[in-house]
Amino acid sequence: MALQHEPTTPHHSAQDALRVLETVVRHSTGVTDTELARHTGIDPERLTSLLLMLRREGYVEQVGDGAYVTGDALTRLGSAQGREQALRENLQRTLDRLRDSVGAAVYISRYVDGEIRIDQIAAGPATPVVNEWVDFRYSAHATAIGKSLLGQLDHDGRRDHLSRHKMARLTSRTITSDRVLLSRLESQPATVPHLDLQEYAVGTVCAAVPITAGSSVGCLALSLPVEHAHRLRQAADALNRNAAPVLLSLAI
């Protein structure tokens, strides 16, 4: 995911945040922002933004003399006992904040053992979840989540998935040709969110962005009632910009 200027994609932000955390961990008695800039080589202005994010997520804390030390969230994730629960709680807090900031239901999904899995959701009365009227595992061709996950597989992986799940017509907008779908997945730039414009369900629009961590294939997605479709691209861009904390939680 390359940009013309300094790297500021969620993946680069997560990588930079990891460098900051590694430096904080090495300095058990605390490290100042000036020292962090020197050790990591990260621009001071960018470092300030990263530190704000890390404090908000509970990964670092600022002590009385202004130095940074490891926070409770990082301590819990670093413990073998209860790590999975701590990760779920961290991710849920992040998803809840994303839901409130983008004004949409937000989802984390992964591709596991050849199937789509929805891991966590943040929704509410004003941000309703998608009505799963057809199992998401069987409707990858019609959902933003499915297209984002399939888009991260190689050609053979996509072919394999489609051979196991018939591309049923769910609405008048659903793509049912594997040739058309594969062509669109091939031509989709990695930095552009995948969209579902009432392809899965009439009355709902969705967007998804990749959150691949290591060899794991995943995505972060949102859904909106169709009357808010005019907000979809802006919300998708905001989701993409704010995906770094999710990537960071998965990478620690």
Side-chain angles (χ1 to χ4, degrees):
M1 299 173 70
L3 297 179
Q4 291 180 334
H5 307 292
E6 286 295 310
T8 54
T9 67
H11 289 79
H12 281 116
S13 293
Q15 290 167 359
D16 286 348
L18 278 174
R19 286 162 58 199
V20 173
L21 285 180
E22 288 165 358
T23 305
V24 172
V25 169
R26 285 200 307 270
H27 294 76
S28 56
T29 59
V31 57
T32 67
D33 51 1
T34 301
E35 292 169 330
L36 281 168
R38 186 172 70 248
H39 287 298
T40 62
I42 297 172
D43 175 82
E45 185 177 349
R46 179 159 171 71
L47 179 61
T48 297
S49 176
L50 289 170
L51 286 169
L52 284 172
M53 183 266 284
L54 292 171
R55 288 178 66 186
R56 185 182 67 236
E57 299 295 324
Y59 293 129
V60 301
E61 296 175 4
Q62 200 168 17
V63 292
D65 61 356
Y68 291 90
V69 296
T70 54
D72 288 342
L74 186 62
T75 301
R76 289 197 302 272
L77 284 177
S79 170
Q81 186 176 10
R83 184 188 187 282
E84 188 172 333
Q85 180 63 27
L87 176 59
R88 286 192 66 83
E89 290 173 357
N90 263 26
L91 286 172
Q92 194 61 50
R93 283 193 296 271
T94 301
L95 289 185
D96 289 346
R97 279 195 292 270
L98 279 173
R99 174 200 61 204
D100 295 341
S101 65
V102 302
V106 179
Y107 313 73
I108 291 180
S109 179
R110 289 193 298 151
Y111 196 76
V112 180
D113 297 329
E115 300 295 348
I116 288 171
R117 190 170 83 188
I118 307 295
D119 283 350
Q120 288 178 248
I121 299 172
T127 53
V129 71
V130 172
N131 174 32
E132 190 178 351
W133 74 285
V134 175
D135 194 316
F136 287 141
R137 289 176 298 174
Y138 310 132
S139 53
H141 63 293
T143 65
I145 283 174
K147 288 184 280 188
S148 180
L149 295 176
L150 292 180
Q152 297 174 64
L153 304 179
D154 60 22
H155 185 77
D156 290 341
R158 296 168 188 165
R159 281 278 188 194
D160 172 71
H161 184 92
L162 297 177
S163 71
R164 291 183 286 108
H165 299 297
K166 178 178 171 56
M167 294 175 61
R169 184 176 297 281
L170 306 183
T171 77
S172 62
R173 295 172 176 263
T174 306
I175 297 172
T176 56
S177 162
D178 58 352
R179 179 184 59 80
V180 172
L181 180 64
L182 289 169
S183 175
R184 292 193 182 180
L185 292 175
E186 290 282 354
S187 61
Q188 176 92 353
T191 54
V192 176
H194 285 270
L195 303 180
D196 158 18
L197 304 176
Q198 301 190 86
E199 296 165 55
Y200 172 76
V202 174
T204 302
V205 294
C206 307
V209 297
I211 52 167
T212 305
S215 60
S216 173
V217 171
C219 74
L220 192 59
L222 63 84
S223 64
L224 287 167
V226 71
E227 55 265 31
H228 294 287
H230 61 283
R231 294 201 295 113
L232 182 62
R233 290 186 184 275
Q234 183 180 9
D237 288 342
L239 190 73
N240 199 20
R241 287 195 308 272
N242 291 284
V246 177
L247 281 163
L248 185 58
S249 292
L250 296 174
I252 291 175

